[in-house]
Amino acid sequence: MPALHPLSGAIADAMRDAALTLGCHPTLGEVAEVSGFTCIDAGLGVSSANVAIPRDIHGPALPALRAAAQWFTASGLNFRVDIPGDAPSDLMAAAMTIGLRFWERQPVMLLDAVWPQPLPGDLEIRPVESDEDVEAFAAVDAFEHAGEPLPAGIIAAARDNPQVWLLIGMLEGECVARIAAMLHGSLATLHSLYVHPAVRRRGIGTEMTLAALAAAGAEGADAAALASTVAAAPLYERLGFRAIRDIIVMGCDAPLP
């Protein structure tokens, strides 16, 4: 097995903290440590945001994962489990045994060398400050995810966290893009990049990413990490990110019996 990158552990901890901050409703959500998993009920009901994150599993993975699954089932929730590509093989086998299916592979990517500078362009990029900005950040992808909109309550709580930057991109007075960044010491993590389909392939994703990096860099970040989709990975590679590991996402669309 290839050696882990020295920052792998710090990135895993940062991603967990970001999931708790950016993916859990401040009043409706619930979090529990169950048999070596951090279990996050995002507060959205049946949702892809409900997640079990492996942290410190002792012994066989199957009974530990069953216990985590029962925590979600008791609340009538589905969930996913984010499995590091270098995790013991019995964790993947356990996920399949309890009825989870493969959802996607996410390259975990790191930028720790040349820090790129923002690009000038027609996009107005500004921080989320007002309640209207919160609504815009949450609603920019609503037409694509009508059944599972991003709750403004999560974004409003994140807006008030001094370690979080929420940015929206405006064109002709309309919000067309968003991104979030969170600072963990000298490491930043990037999340929730979204560009409206009507304005894709115009470099807007790049502009938003560079703006988020600039915001984090101004506060002392000298490395940045993110979990990408396979399709988006080339965008980040052009900015200097490189894949250092994978996450295998497995889940269920309905509560397990």
Side-chain angles (χ1 to χ4, degrees), residues 81-102:
V81 58
D82 293 351
I83 304 175
D86 49 28
S89 59
D90 67 335
L91 182 52
M92 179 79 73
M96 292 187 288
T97 298
I98 69 169
L100 303 185
R101 60 181 179 82
F102 174 82

Side-chain angles (χ1 to χ4, degrees), residues 10-241:
I11 291 170
D13 289 342
M15 292 292 188
R16 172 186 173 274
D17 290 345
L20 293 168
T21 300
L22 299 169
C24 187
H25 195 283
T27 57
L28 302 178
E30 186 176 354
V31 179
E33 299 294 330
V34 181
S35 298
F37 289 87
T38 298
C39 295
I40 302 174
D41 164 7
L44 310 179
V46 173
S47 167
S48 60
N50 301 325
V51 58
I53 303 173
R55 294 196 70 200
D56 191 18
I57 302 170
H58 299 289
L62 182 56
L65 186 55
R66 283 195 192 279
Q70 288 167 1
W71 185 84
F72 289 100
T73 299
S75 298
L77 300 173
N78 70 327
F79 75 106
R80 73 175 201 267
V81 58
D82 293 351
I83 304 175
D86 49 28
S89 59
D90 67 335
L91 182 52
M92 179 79 73
M96 292 187 288
T97 298
I98 69 169
L100 303 185
R101 60 181 179 82
F102 174 82
W103 277 4
E104 65 175 328
R105 179 177 71 86
Q106 296 179 342
V108 176
M109 308 188 76
L110 174 68
L111 175 69
D112 62 353
V114 178
W115 203 268
Q117 296 300 309
L119 291 173
D122 296 330
L123 191 67
E124 176 197 352
I125 302 175
R126 70 178 192 226
V128 169
E129 295 176 339
S130 67
D131 291 342
E132 290 77 13
D133 292 340
V134 167
E135 293 290 343
F137 187 102
V140 65
D141 63 344
F143 80 102
E144 282 196 276
H145 302 97
E148 189 182 359
L150 181 64
I154 292 178
I155 304 308
R159 172 193 57 183
D160 299 330
N161 186 320
Q163 302 304 111
V164 173
W165 293 269
L166 304 171
L167 303 176
I168 51 176
M170 309 291 293
L171 277 178
E172 299 178 356
E174 295 291 332
C175 180
V176 297
R178 72 175 185 219
I179 195 169
M182 186 171 179
L183 189 64
H184 318 262
S186 61
L187 173 69
T189 54
L190 305 187
H191 310 273
S192 301
L193 174 63
Y194 181 85
V195 178
H196 193 285
V199 295
R200 288 176 186 169
R201 301 187 184 278
R202 292 172 53 177
I204 288 176
T206 298
E207 286 189 60
M208 296 296 294
T209 303
L210 292 175
L213 289 172
E219 296 297 326
D222 58 18
L226 54 86
S228 175
T229 63
V230 172
L235 180 156
Y236 299 116
E237 288 172 349
R238 289 193 292 271
L239 298 179
F241 285 84

